[in-house]
Amino acid sequence: MVAQLLDGRAVAKRIKERVAIAVQQRKKQGLSQPGLEVILVGNNTASDTYVRHKQQACLEVGIRSQCHNLPQNTTQDEIAHLIDACNENPNANGILLQLPLPSSITTYSLLERIHPDKDVDGFHPYNLGRLAQRHPHLRPCTPKGVITLLDETGEDLTGKHAVVIGASNIVGRPMALELLMARCTTTVCHRFTRCLSKYVQEADVLISAIGKPGIIQSDWIKPEAIVIDVGFSHLENGMISGDIEFESARLRASWITPVPGGVGPMTVASLLENTLQATEIQEALRELSG
């Protein structure tokens, strides 16, 4: 058996086409162009690359995107003031604070400062709380993209044992909430988990989001499991690797994501969906307020 490929690039392409059509329809109706404000602090090479990809995707679908490039020594207050300005700007429908921030900055308080209706990354406590209560508003992009990929399999997830490896606020924790909402029996493993292999062997749906090449051994994978590899690491030989060795894992899984080309494009596509959704939410609220 060789696993079927969950091609994130192909699925993301379809999402981008739908968003582009919606943006064009807005233009014909005389509605405003959705706008995304990106805040990038410091000189993190990976962050620079991610932001370029996000801005290129915005350009492709007709979303206006502006990047605020701030130096490494930018203060907490300066970032906070910029977020406040974006919150007040009616043309700034989405605000994305690119992570990680310099170590001198307190990330949580800045994420909390972004208005929940403009929080297109889905990290605000309000949005995470809505997800926990099964009434999602703006959903974290990577977990949302993973759920979209799982939908592509056509599998009924009800009652399946989903195991998430990693408990970060960005992926692991909101991913567990998404899986609970999809009616999975959900286990979260983390750095303090004992006998990781035991949980992997029990997983009908395995989602690894650690960023350590080879942390999951392929022979642990349950035959015919759905395998989603969120990990992304640059190797010394210049290659890119996920958390799981792809070629051997696809001989056990029923469905599997490649790295690259799996979850990454879905994260960007989800950001575009969130920006459009945020625009529509803000318009609806303005109509209600008169």
Side-chain angles (χ1 to χ4, degrees):
M1 181 186 72
V2 178
Q4 298 183 73
L5 194 68
L6 280 169
D7 187 346
R9 289 193 178 104
V11 180
K13 183 174 183 291
R14 296 202 301 269
I15 292 172
K16 288 162 71 174
E17 288 169 352
R18 290 200 298 268
V19 172
I21 290 170
V23 172
Q24 281 298 315
Q25 289 174 340
R26 291 180 57 82
K27 184 177 180 181
K28 291 177 182 177
Q29 295 166 3
L31 298 173
S32 64
Q33 180 185 22
L36 175 66
E37 303 289 319
V38 180
I39 301 173
L40 177 62
V41 185
N43 304 305
N44 185 301
T45 303
S47 292
D48 287 343
T49 301
Y50 296 147
V51 166
R52 283 199 303 272
H53 288 163
K54 291 168 183 176
Q55 289 200 287
Q56 178 60 35
C58 286
L59 180 64
E60 290 171 6
V61 302
I63 292 175
R64 179 192 58 78
S65 176
Q66 180 178 355
C67 184
H68 303 268
N69 290 282
L70 305 179
Q72 183 77 17
N73 61 355
T74 302
T75 67
Q76 183 98 14
D77 284 346
E78 288 170 332
I79 301 171
H81 291 323
L82 177 55
I83 290 172
D84 290 344
C86 292
N87 281 333
E88 294 298 320
N89 182 357
N91 296 317
N93 304 112
I95 303 171
L96 189 157
L97 181 61
Q98 182 64 41
L99 304 179
L101 295 172
S103 58
S104 59
I105 301 298
T106 303
T107 299
Y108 182 84
S109 64
L110 292 176
L111 292 175
E112 194 171 19
R113 201 175 188 102
I114 297 171
H115 194 285
D117 293 339
K118 296 190 176 191
D119 170 37
V120 289
D121 257 337
F123 295 156
H124 191 282
Y126 174 84
N127 286 319
L128 289 173
R130 287 285 297 258
L131 181 60
Q133 294 182 346
R134 295 179 291 180
H135 293 284
H137 192 55
L138 293 171
R139 296 155 59 192
C141 294
T142 297
K144 179 181 178 181
V146 169
I147 291 295
T148 304
L149 284 177
L150 290 173
D151 289 342
E152 285 288 310
T153 69
E155 300 273 356
D156 182 3
L157 299 181
T158 303
K160 287 187 181 294
H161 187 190
V163 176
V164 181
I165 313 297
S168 73
N169 290 340
I170 294 173
V171 180
R173 292 171 189 265
M175 188 74 253
L177 295 174
E178 287 278 6
L179 291 164
L180 286 170
M181 197 164 62
R183 298 179 294 185
C184 291
T185 299
T186 304
T187 299
V188 180
C189 299
H190 44 76
R191 60 179 175 162
F192 300 111
T193 297
R194 298 173 182 175
C195 197
L196 178 62
S197 61
K198 170 183 178 293
Y199 296 99
V200 174
Q201 290 164 0
E202 296 173 353
D204 301 307
V205 179
L206 176 64
I207 301 172
S208 185
I210 296 293
K212 292 184 179 180
I215 191 169
I216 307 298
Q217 296 181 24
S218 296
D219 60 6
W220 296 350
I221 295 171
K222 183 178 181 178
E224 299 191 18
I226 301 171
V227 177
I228 308 290
D229 194 344
V230 186
F232 192 93
S233 301
H234 292 274
L235 305 180
E236 290 182 0
N237 62 7
M239 302 293 288
I240 293 171
S241 172
D243 292 343
I244 305 165
E245 205 289 310
F246 176 79
E247 293 299 336
S248 56
R250 75 182 303 194
L251 297 178
R252 296 181 66 87
S254 60
W255 294 87
I256 192 169
T257 56
V259 179
V263 176
M266 296 301 300
T267 299
V268 176
S270 297
L271 172 67
L272 301 177
E273 287 183 311
N274 280 358
T275 303
L276 178 60
Q277 181 186 352
T279 305
E280 293 168 348
I281 289 170
Q282 291 155 42
E283 287 173 343
L285 289 173
R286 283 196 291 269
E287 287 182 10
L288 285 174
S289 64

